[in-house]
Structure formats: structure tokens, C-alpha cells
């Protein structure tokens, strides 16, 4: 009697296995990051430079652009004069043609390292500016130009780069910078007040499971 053919793994099982591997990698990365960051004084030094700057430009291209956008958005909640150095908001020519004393360029540069990020930061320093670097290696191409750098281990041997450590580093930099600035708390409170005045946010309420019908103007059915 012929042996029954073995069934191929179901897509759902493969997805569950991949999900488990990704979560395990992120958990391990986060645990390593927490342990490393506790004894890393570069966070205090970098956040002090950020807080003490007149203007804060945040740069990140390619794989690092999402991190840079998050960092700029989080800093903007506590500080004025925060600009994401990315088109169409701010072109590289505009950034480099207006380098002023007291400004800081906060560069996020992780693998694969973008050539344009390195060159923009190099030109910024050559013009007399200060670069604060968030990267994944102490010998990254941008390390030579940074006045201060925060290094995050993001590499998992099996799954490649992970994001948990970078996101935690962004949280620490923003919160430490805000804590050292007298005006940051006032700005955050004023933003919250204005958000309520402008009615920007939907009320907090639990979904009751019914489906909204767009033909009824969003009314549930």
C-alpha cells in the first residue's frame, strides 16, 4: 500500500513560525539595548547637545528615513525649530547654505549606509555645524564627523537588522532632551491645550462591534 504523501506546511503555520522568530529577535534586541543603554553616557551627552541647540535638523535617508521622521516628530512636540531635512520640506542645498552657530544636525544612519546622508553630514561639519549621530556601529561612515554619537546594536544573525533598539534610543534621546529643557514641558502642555481647543482628536470610546455604513454618513448598522 503506497505511503500517503506528506502535506506541505500550511501558509498560516509558516506565518506563525515567522512571527515567532521575529518577535524573539526583537525581544532579544530590546533586552540587549536596555542593558547597554543603562551604562551608556552618550545618551546624556547627545541629548544635552540637542536641547542646547538653537535649531534642530533631523537627517535620514533610505532605510533610516522612517526613524528620522519619527525622531523629528517627537522632538517637535517639545521643542521649536525642529525640521526634517528631507524633500520637499527641506532640500540639502537649503540646509547646507544656511549653517549657523548653535544649530545641530541630528543624523540617523543605519545599514545600508546611504552615501547622500554621509556627504550631507560631512558638508555640514565642513561649514562649521555640529552633527549628533544615531547609528548602528561605532565605525559607521558618519562616525568621523559626529560631535557625539549613540550606537545601537541592531543586528540579528538570523533575521538581519531589527528596529526595537533604534526606537528605544529615539525615545531616550527625546525624553532626556525634553527633561533638560525648561521650555519643553510648557510647549508640550500648550500643544495639548491647543489640541483640545481645535478639537483635533476623536473622543475615546470603545467600538461596539457594529459596522459603519458610509451611505449613512458613518452611522453604524
Amino acid at each position: 500500500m503506497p505511503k500517503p504523501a506528506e502535506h506541505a506546511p500550511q501558509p498560516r503555520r509558516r506565518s506563525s513560525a515567522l512571527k515567532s522568530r521575529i518577535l524573539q529577535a526583537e525581544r532579544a534586541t530590546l533586552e540587549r539595548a536596555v542593558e547597554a543603554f543603562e551604562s551608556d553616557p552618550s545618551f546624556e551627552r547627545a541629548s544635552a547637545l540637542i536641547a542646547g541647540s538653537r535649531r534642530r535638523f533631523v537627517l535620514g535617508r533610505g532605510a533610516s528615513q522612517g526613524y528620522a521622521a519619527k525622531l523629528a516628530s517627537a522632538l517637535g512636540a517639545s521643542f521649536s525649530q525642529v525640521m526634517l531635512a528631507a524633500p520637499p520640506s527641506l532640500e540639502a542645498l537649503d540646509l547646507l547654505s544656511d549653517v549657523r552657530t548653535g544649530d545641530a544636525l541630528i543624523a540617523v544612519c543605519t545599514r545600508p549606509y546611504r552615501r547622500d546622508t554621509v556627504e550631507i553630514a560631512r558638508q555640514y561639519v565642513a561649514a562649521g555645524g555640529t552633527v549628533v549621530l544615531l547609528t548602528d556601529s561605532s565605525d559607521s561612515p558618519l562616525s568621523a564627523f559626529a560631535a557625539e554619537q549613540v550606537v545601537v546594536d541592531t543586528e540579528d544573525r538570523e533575521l538581519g537588522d531589527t528596529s526595537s533598539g533604534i526606537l528605544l534610543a529615539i525615545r531616550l534621546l527625546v525624553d532626556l532632551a525634553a527633561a533638560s529643557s525648561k521650555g519643553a514641558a510648557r510647549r508640550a502642555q500648550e500643544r495639548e491645550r491647543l489640541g483640545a481647543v481645535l478639537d483635533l482628536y476623536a473622543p475615546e470610546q470603545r467600538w461596539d462591534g457594529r459596522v459603519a455604513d458610509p451611505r449613512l454618513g458613518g452611522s453604524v448598522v
Side-chain angles (χ1 to χ4, degrees), residues 109-121:
C109 190
T110 59
R111 290 181 297 263
Y113 306 115
R114 282 284 295 253
R115 190 184 303 273
D116 49 356
T117 301
V118 176
E119 184 59 22
I120 291 170

PDB file of all heavy atoms in Angstrom, residues 109-121:
ATOM      1  N   CYS A 109      21.710  57.152  10.750  1.00  0.00           N
ATOM      2  CA  CYS A 109      22.384  56.461   9.649  1.00  0.00           C
ATOM      3  C   CYS A 109      22.633  55.007  10.052  1.00  0.00           C
ATOM      4  O   CYS A 109      23.513  54.717  10.858  1.00  0.00           O
ATOM      5  CB  CYS A 109      23.701  57.159   9.329  1.00  0.00           C
ATOM      6  SG  CYS A 109      24.494  56.578   7.815  1.00  0.00           S
ATOM      7  N   THR A 110      21.824  54.101   9.515  1.00  0.00           N
ATOM      8  CA  THR A 110      21.954  52.673   9.801  1.00  0.00           C
ATOM      9  C   THR A 110      22.143  51.912   8.496  1.00  0.00           C
ATOM     10  O   THR A 110      21.915  52.444   7.413  1.00  0.00           O
ATOM     11  CB  THR A 110      20.700  52.146  10.528  1.00  0.00           C
ATOM     12  OG1 THR A 110      19.540  52.377   9.710  1.00  0.00           O
ATOM     13  CG2 THR A 110      20.505  52.847  11.863  1.00  0.00           C
ATOM     14  N   ARG A 111      22.576  50.654   8.617  1.00  0.00           N
ATOM     15  CA  ARG A 111      22.788  49.839   7.420  1.00  0.00           C
ATOM     16  C   ARG A 111      21.505  49.714   6.593  1.00  0.00           C
ATOM     17  O   ARG A 111      20.431  49.547   7.178  1.00  0.00           O
ATOM     18  CB  ARG A 111      23.255  48.430   7.819  1.00  0.00           C
ATOM     19  CG  ARG A 111      24.650  48.372   8.390  1.00  0.00           C
ATOM     20  CD  ARG A 111      25.021  46.941   8.721  1.00  0.00           C
ATOM     21  NE  ARG A 111      24.129  46.410   9.746  1.00  0.00           N
ATOM     22  CZ  ARG A 111      24.419  46.373  11.053  1.00  0.00           C
ATOM     23  NH1 ARG A 111      25.547  46.851  11.491  1.00  0.00           N
ATOM     24  NH2 ARG A 111      23.559  45.870  11.916  1.00  0.00           N
ATOM     25  N   PRO A 112      21.639  49.742   5.257  1.00  0.00           N
ATOM     26  CA  PRO A 112      22.821  50.085   4.461  1.00  0.00           C
ATOM     27  C   PRO A 112      23.053  51.596   4.477  1.00  0.00           C
ATOM     28  O   PRO A 112      22.098  52.373   4.322  1.00  0.00           O
ATOM     29  CB  PRO A 112      22.458  49.597   3.060  1.00  0.00           C
ATOM     30  CG  PRO A 112      20.958  49.683   3.014  1.00  0.00           C
ATOM     31  CD  PRO A 112      20.478  49.375   4.409  1.00  0.00           C
ATOM     32  N   TYR A 113      24.291  52.021   4.693  1.00  0.00           N
ATOM     33  CA  TYR A 113      24.604  53.433   4.882  1.00  0.00           C
ATOM     34  C   TYR A 113      24.450  54.196   3.564  1.00  0.00           C
ATOM     35  O   TYR A 113      25.080  53.855   2.571  1.00  0.00           O
ATOM     36  CB  TYR A 113      26.017  53.591   5.419  1.00  0.00           C
ATOM     37  CG  TYR A 113      26.267  52.796   6.681  1.00  0.00           C
ATOM     38  CD1 TYR A 113      27.176  51.752   6.713  1.00  0.00           C
ATOM     39  CD2 TYR A 113      25.573  53.089   7.854  1.00  0.00           C
ATOM     40  CE1 TYR A 113      27.403  51.020   7.867  1.00  0.00           C
ATOM     41  CE2 TYR A 113      25.785  52.358   9.017  1.00  0.00           C
ATOM     42  CZ  TYR A 113      26.699  51.328   9.014  1.00  0.00           C
ATOM     43  OH  TYR A 113      26.915  50.591  10.157  1.00  0.00           O
ATOM     44  N   ARG A 114      23.628  55.225   3.607  1.00  0.00           N
ATOM     45  CA  ARG A 114      23.381  55.997   2.398  1.00  0.00           C
ATOM     46  C   ARG A 114      24.508  56.993   2.155  1.00  0.00           C
ATOM     47  O   ARG A 114      24.890  57.768   3.038  1.00  0.00           O
ATOM     48  CB  ARG A 114      22.050  56.724   2.518  1.00  0.00           C
ATOM     49  CG  ARG A 114      20.838  55.843   2.285  1.00  0.00           C
ATOM     50  CD  ARG A 114      20.647  55.564   0.802  1.00  0.00           C
ATOM     51  NE  ARG A 114      20.325  56.783   0.077  1.00  0.00           N
ATOM     52  CZ  ARG A 114      19.114  57.069  -0.400  1.00  0.00           C
ATOM     53  NH1 ARG A 114      18.120  56.224  -0.231  1.00  0.00           N
ATOM     54  NH2 ARG A 114      18.899  58.185  -1.050  1.00  0.00           N
ATOM     55  N   ARG A 115      25.001  56.998   0.924  1.00  0.00           N
ATOM     56  CA  ARG A 115      26.088  57.898   0.558  1.00  0.00           C
ATOM     57  C   ARG A 115      25.676  59.366   0.699  1.00  0.00           C
ATOM     58  O   ARG A 115      26.466  60.212   1.128  1.00  0.00           O
ATOM     59  CB  ARG A 115      26.527  57.617  -0.890  1.00  0.00           C
ATOM     60  CG  ARG A 115      27.809  58.313  -1.299  1.00  0.00           C
ATOM     61  CD  ARG A 115      28.097  58.055  -2.776  1.00  0.00           C
ATOM     62  NE  ARG A 115      28.170  56.644  -3.063  1.00  0.00           N
ATOM     63  CZ  ARG A 115      29.287  55.917  -2.936  1.00  0.00           C
ATOM     64  NH1 ARG A 115      30.383  56.490  -2.489  1.00  0.00           N
ATOM     65  NH2 ARG A 115      29.281  54.634  -3.243  1.00  0.00           N
ATOM     66  N   ASP A 116      24.416  59.681   0.343  1.00  0.00           N
ATOM     67  CA  ASP A 116      23.993  61.087   0.423  1.00  0.00           C
ATOM     68  C   ASP A 116      23.917  61.572   1.870  1.00  0.00           C
ATOM     69  O   ASP A 116      24.247  62.720   2.172  1.00  0.00           O
ATOM     70  CB  ASP A 116      22.666  61.304  -0.296  1.00  0.00           C
ATOM     71  CG  ASP A 116      21.594  60.311   0.095  1.00  0.00           C
ATOM     72  OD1 ASP A 116      21.875  59.381   0.884  1.00  0.00           O
ATOM     73  OD2 ASP A 116      20.453  60.452  -0.392  1.00  0.00           O
ATOM     74  N   THR A 117      23.501  60.697   2.791  1.00  0.00           N
ATOM     75  CA  THR A 117      23.476  61.081   4.209  1.00  0.00           C
ATOM     76  C   THR A 117      24.882  61.412   4.700  1.00  0.00           C
ATOM     77  O   THR A 117      25.098  62.421   5.383  1.00  0.00           O
ATOM     78  CB  THR A 117      22.896  59.940   5.068  1.00  0.00           C
ATOM     79  OG1 THR A 117      21.577  59.640   4.625  1.00  0.00           O
ATOM     80  CG2 THR A 117      22.850  60.329   6.534  1.00  0.00           C
ATOM     81  N   VAL A 118      25.846  60.564   4.358  1.00  0.00           N
ATOM     82  CA  VAL A 118      27.232  60.791   4.774  1.00  0.00           C
ATOM     83  C   VAL A 118      27.770  62.088   4.195  1.00  0.00           C
ATOM     84  O   VAL A 118      28.406  62.893   4.890  1.00  0.00           O
ATOM     85  CB  VAL A 118      28.117  59.600   4.345  1.00  0.00           C
ATOM     86  CG1 VAL A 118      29.583  59.868   4.697  1.00  0.00           C
ATOM     87  CG2 VAL A 118      27.637  58.316   5.006  1.00  0.00           C
ATOM     88  N   GLU A 119      27.506  62.330   2.922  1.00  0.00           N
ATOM     89  CA  GLU A 119      28.047  63.522   2.277  1.00  0.00           C
ATOM     90  C   GLU A 119      27.409  64.792   2.810  1.00  0.00           C
ATOM     91  O   GLU A 119      28.087  65.807   3.012  1.00  0.00           O
ATOM     92  CB  GLU A 119      27.853  63.431   0.759  1.00  0.00           C
ATOM     93  CG  GLU A 119      28.469  64.571  -0.027  1.00  0.00           C
ATOM     94  CD  GLU A 119      29.971  64.706   0.168  1.00  0.00           C
ATOM     95  OE1 GLU A 119      30.626  63.704   0.555  1.00  0.00           O
ATOM     96  OE2 GLU A 119      30.502  65.812  -0.078  1.00  0.00           O
ATOM     97  N   ILE A 120      26.095  64.774   3.042  1.00  0.00           N
ATOM     98  CA  ILE A 120      25.425  65.957   3.598  1.00  0.00           C
ATOM     99  C   ILE A 120      25.979  66.278   4.978  1.00  0.00           C
ATOM    100  O   ILE A 120      26.271  67.439   5.305  1.00  0.00           O
ATOM    101  CB  ILE A 120      23.905  65.732   3.664  1.00  0.00           C
ATOM    102  CG1 ILE A 120      23.317  65.699   2.253  1.00  0.00           C
ATOM    103  CG2 ILE A 120      23.224  66.821   4.486  1.00  0.00           C
ATOM    104  CD1 ILE A 120      21.873  65.236   2.203  1.00  0.00           C
ATOM    105  N   ALA A 121      26.153  65.256   5.814  1.00  0.00           N
ATOM    106  CA  ALA A 121      26.703  65.476   7.155  1.00  0.00           C
ATOM    107  C   ALA A 121      28.141  65.984   7.082  1.00  0.00           C
ATOM    108  O   ALA A 121      28.545  66.866   7.855  1.00  0.00           O
ATOM    109  CB  ALA A 121      26.639  64.186   7.962  1.00  0.00           C
TER     110      ALA A 121
END
